[in-house]
Amino acid sequence: MTEEEIRTAYLEELSRVAPDIDPETVGDDDHIQDDLELDSMDVLNLVTALHERTGVDIPEKDYPQIATVALAVGYLKAKIK
Amino acid sequence: MGVFAMPSLGADMEAGILVEWLIKPGDAVSRGDIVAVVETQKGAIEIEVFEEGKVHELVAELGVELPVGAPLAVILAEGETPPVETEPAPEAPKPEPEVEREPAPASEVETVIAAPVTATRPAPSSIAPTSLNAASPAARVRAHELGVDLSGIHGTGPGGVIVLSDVEGPGAKAKPAPQKTGTPMEEMRKAIAAAMTRAKQTIPHFYLSETIDVQPATDFLSELNAERAPAERILLGALFVRAASRAAAKVKTMNGHFIDGAFKPAEVVNPGVAVALRGGGLVAPALMDALLLDLDQTMAGIRDLVTRARAGRLRSSEMTEGTITVSSLGETGAEAMTGVIFPPQVALVGIGAPHVRPWVVDGEVVPRSVITLTMSADHRVSDGRQAARFITEFETLIQAPETL
């Protein structure tokens, strides 16, 4: 997956978990909990969706590394084989 | 069962709009079947039936706002005959009180709900109330809740004082159903305000708090989740619901309903799980019969409730059969919360977000993840001793997470 494909996948899954979020308005450094107000169940649903879509099983200790679009793109790019 | 009426889907509900029928005349229904969808202030709710039978007639029309108790359909048990529509039903062998209500066409219902309360009242008799409309405090509160003008009510108490039963007379239910005018969020806010105002006006709340070490629980989950794919992971909130359910089963004065002036302990534990909705608002659907669920099933149940709460597809039983509420602030946020009991329940378990704090373990000060649990309880039903016992049970359970 290219960085752009990862970004698209992340934003699509994010707006599926929280349908009121318009992907167009999500900034690269918006924090999914502090800025976008996802709760722990939303974060788990996002991680589950990213696992199904990219095959990357994100362990709990790495949750902070997918907390923004910019972080997630870098993290997933390195993990996707 | 006879007439199937618009159910009350919570302390705050006065009316709902029928938006979808999932049955048609001639269909057989059994207990738990979803027969209709009703739009309420808290979103669309799937309405279940509680008895077996055959659909005889759909009475209510789609898109019409109907008050609680309005007839929706006629569903007959085997061998049952339809109620007579033109004259009062004779003393037919019908076991349930609901069947005594006559089904009325939707147009008649509208006429009834549109009639102002005062029009159904008899004219004031010779014992007129004073110009100040002397009324008992309970009558005043109820009149305020119902939006009834006391000056139009004939008091039957001593000296013409208006008492509670005067306000709650047969005409009281005839007030116009509130019109849905606001946005869904404004309607949700109104529904929460109505339920919480009623809770604060009628339930003498008291509160007990305890800070509890949850390091064993978070360690247990870290280890468990490290070996699991995301779809199988467990959140701390699921352990809290397990612990609260088992504590509620032991301390029965925390689990049940206060109805018609008396506490009715529940035989099952259906914890209402408070779910914050994105954009604001809150619902607390019940996780049915939670004692029968293991930890994985509890987590799956909560995940399902949260998903359906946000999609607006909860079931009527989940809205009405909660026996205690568990309100947890999640894994980030404020450290404590003193919650308002959801009537007719009698207790709410408020759990703040875990924080790492200096804590004494075996005589040493160490960093530990702790929560503050605040029990809100109903003084008509229990005292501090029982609430304290609940907290002790919860603490014991959450510190042995492998047993949950």
Side-chain angles (χ1 to χ4, degrees):
Chain A
M1 286 174 97
T2 65
E3 283 194 10
E4 205 43 49
E5 285 168 346
I6 295 172
R7 173 189 304 274
T8 304
Y10 183 90
L11 287 172
E12 278 178 12
E13 297 307 335
L14 180 64
S15 66
R16 207 161 288 164
V17 167
D20 58 307
I21 293 177
D22 177 0
E24 302 271 309
T25 66
V26 176
D28 262 13
D29 297 317
D30 283 352
H31 192 283
I32 52 173
Q33 284 175 291
D34 301 342
D35 298 314
L36 303 177
E37 298 185 348
L38 263 58
D39 65 16
S40 40
M41 183 68 82
D42 296 324
V43 173
L44 179 56
N45 286 335
L46 177 62
V47 167
T48 304
L50 290 172
H51 178 226
E52 282 162 12
R53 184 141 173 184
T54 67
V56 179
D57 183 350
I58 305 161
E60 279 188 334
K61 66 176 173 48
D62 288 351
Y63 286 3
Q65 298 194 53
I66 55 128
T68 70
V69 179
L71 285 169
V73 168
Y75 176 83
L76 291 171
K77 180 113 179 63
K79 294 274 178 185
I80 293 171
K81 293 183 181 88
Chain B
M1 72 183 290
V3 175
F4 179 66
M6 174 73 80
S8 172
L9 302 172
D12 40 355
M13 175 164 163
E14 291 172 337
I17 298 171
L18 180 68
V19 292
E20 189 179 354
W21 276 119
L22 301 172
I23 50 169
K24 57 184 186 305
D27 284 358
V29 294
S30 52
R31 184 184 163 82
D33 282 358
I34 295 161
V35 297
V37 179
V38 168
E39 182 75 32
T40 72
Q41 287 176 311
K42 292 212 163 180
I45 307 292
E46 297 179 334
I47 307 297
E48 299 150 288
V49 288
F50 291 94
E51 300 196 31
E52 280 195 359
K54 195 170 182 182
V55 181
H56 175 68
E57 185 188 3
L58 303 182
V59 179
E61 286 176 46
L62 294 182
V64 177
E65 178 159 301
L66 299 164
V68 170
L72 298 178
V74 179
I75 298 175
L76 301 176
E78 202 176 319
E80 204 176 17
T81 52
V84 182
E85 295 196 28
T86 47
E87 53 186 24
E91 288 167 321
K94 293 173 186 167
E96 299 215 11
E98 291 112 297
V99 298
E100 286 164 20
R101 265 187 247 133
E102 284 293 295
S107 60
E108 267 184 47
V109 175
E110 281 177 75
T111 312
V112 172
I113 62 174
V117 167
T118 48
T120 64
R121 295 270 150 204
S125 73
S126 54
I127 319 164
T130 69
S131 58
L132 288 172
N133 298 318
S136 73
R140 281 187 190 282
V141 169
R142 191 69 186 131
H144 179 71
E145 286 172 356
L146 293 168
V148 172
D149 181 3
L150 286 175
S151 66
I153 293 182
H154 167 62
T156 59
V161 167
I162 298 165
V163 294
L164 186 59
S165 60
D166 298 330
V167 178
E168 292 185 327
K173 284 246 163 100
K175 82 176 183 110
Q179 292 300 306
K180 283 195 152 200
T181 51
T183 64
M185 194 44 60
E186 286 166 347
E187 291 300 322
M188 165 80 72
R189 192 48 56 200
K190 278 188 208 164
I192 293 170
M196 296 299 96
T197 301
R198 183 179 147 198
K200 284 280 183 168
Q201 281 176 343
T202 60
I203 302 175
H205 285 67
F206 71 97
Y207 310 96
L208 266 74
S209 291
E210 173 81 354
T211 302
I212 296 172
D213 179 6
V214 293
Q215 194 70 49
T218 56
D219 289 349
F220 169 76
L221 287 185
S222 295
E223 204 170 306
L224 186 75
N225 289 338
E227 293 168 9
R228 291 180 170 213
E232 274 84 50
R233 287 179 196 158
I234 307 288
L235 293 173
L236 189 55
L239 284 179
F240 291 159
V241 169
R242 281 295 296 153
S245 301
R246 286 176 55 183
K250 286 205 170 175
V251 187
K252 297 188 185 307
T253 49
M254 299 289 132
N255 187 59
H257 302 113
F258 193 91
I259 298 169
D260 297 335
F263 174 58
K264 297 182 174 61
E267 287 169 10
V268 294
V269 180
N270 301 335
V273 180
V275 178
L277 300 178
R278 295 194 50 82
L282 192 71
V283 283
L287 184 66
M288 306 302 285
D289 233 337
L291 290 177
L292 299 181
L293 308 177
D294 65 19
L295 183 57
D296 285 317
Q297 291 166 330
T298 301
M299 178 65 196
I302 295 170
R303 208 171 189 168
D304 175 50
L305 280 183
V306 172
T307 305
R308 286 191 292 108
R310 293 190 174 158
R313 274 294 186 172
L314 293 168
R315 297 184 196 118
S316 50
S317 55
E318 293 163 345
M319 298 299 283
T320 55
E321 293 177 26
T323 59
I324 183 171
T325 303
V326 180
S327 187
S328 152
L329 290 177
E331 300 188 11
T332 55
E335 67 180 16
M337 169 187 44
T338 304
V340 183
I341 298 168
F342 190 69
Q345 294 171 25
V346 298
L348 176 141
V349 188
I351 301 171
H355 284 66
V356 177
R357 297 279 188 255
W359 203 248
V360 179
V361 179
D362 298 332
E364 301 282 330
V365 178
V366 291
R368 301 284 275 192
S369 185
V370 301
I371 55 161
T372 301
L373 181 151
T374 303
M375 202 64 200
S376 303
D378 184 338
H379 240 323
R380 296 171 301 184
V381 176
S382 63
D383 299 304
R385 183 185 293 265
Q386 286 100 35
R389 198 169 143 237
F390 182 97
I391 292 174
T392 304
E393 291 287 347
F394 182 97
E395 184 165 11
T396 306
L397 289 161
I398 205 69
Q399 289 181 342
E402 65 285 351
T403 66
L404 291 169

